[in-house]
Amino acid sequence: IATDVGGNREIVTDQNGILLPPNPSPQEIANALFLFQKDAKQAAEKREGSRALWHELYNAEKNFTTFIRHIKTLLPMDIDL
């Protein structure tokens, strides 16, 4: 659960959470919290979605490897890294 400020929109999606308006009311916050409390299956799906999104977009080991592979394609062929 996060508010729609800064980069939160890039991180919190329907797949992994609930994005509240920038200045949510106490009732909106309570409703979001209640959704997770009342539906354990949905909470588990959001946790799994968070892990999948992290692995896809924010996993440093994976991202660095992909980045270096891309950089190597841009280098002249006679340079060995």
Side-chain angles (χ1 to χ4, degrees):
I1 299 171
T3 55
D4 190 5
V5 297
N8 287 345
R9 176 175 291 276
E10 297 173 12
I11 299 168
V12 180
T13 68
D14 288 339
Q15 176 187 4
N16 69 350
I18 298 172
L19 192 63
L20 297 173
N23 191 19
S25 69
Q27 188 62 52
E28 288 172 311
I29 297 169
N31 289 345
L33 291 169
F34 183 68
L35 285 175
F36 286 113
Q37 188 272 330
K38 78 172 188 167
D39 189 345
K41 182 180 178 190
Q42 181 180 9
E45 289 170 357
K46 299 283 187 188
R47 281 192 303 276
E48 290 172 17
S50 293
R51 184 73 168 161
L53 185 68
W54 169 82
H55 184 71
E56 180 183 341
L57 300 176
Y58 303 105
N59 179 332
E61 184 176 332
K62 177 184 169 192
N63 289 345
F64 292 156
T65 302
T66 302
F67 177 71
I68 293 300
R69 191 176 305 122
H70 177 71
I71 292 297
K72 284 183 174 182
T73 68
L74 301 175
L75 293 172
M77 297 303 268
D78 60 342
I79 295 178
D80 186 27
L81 294 179

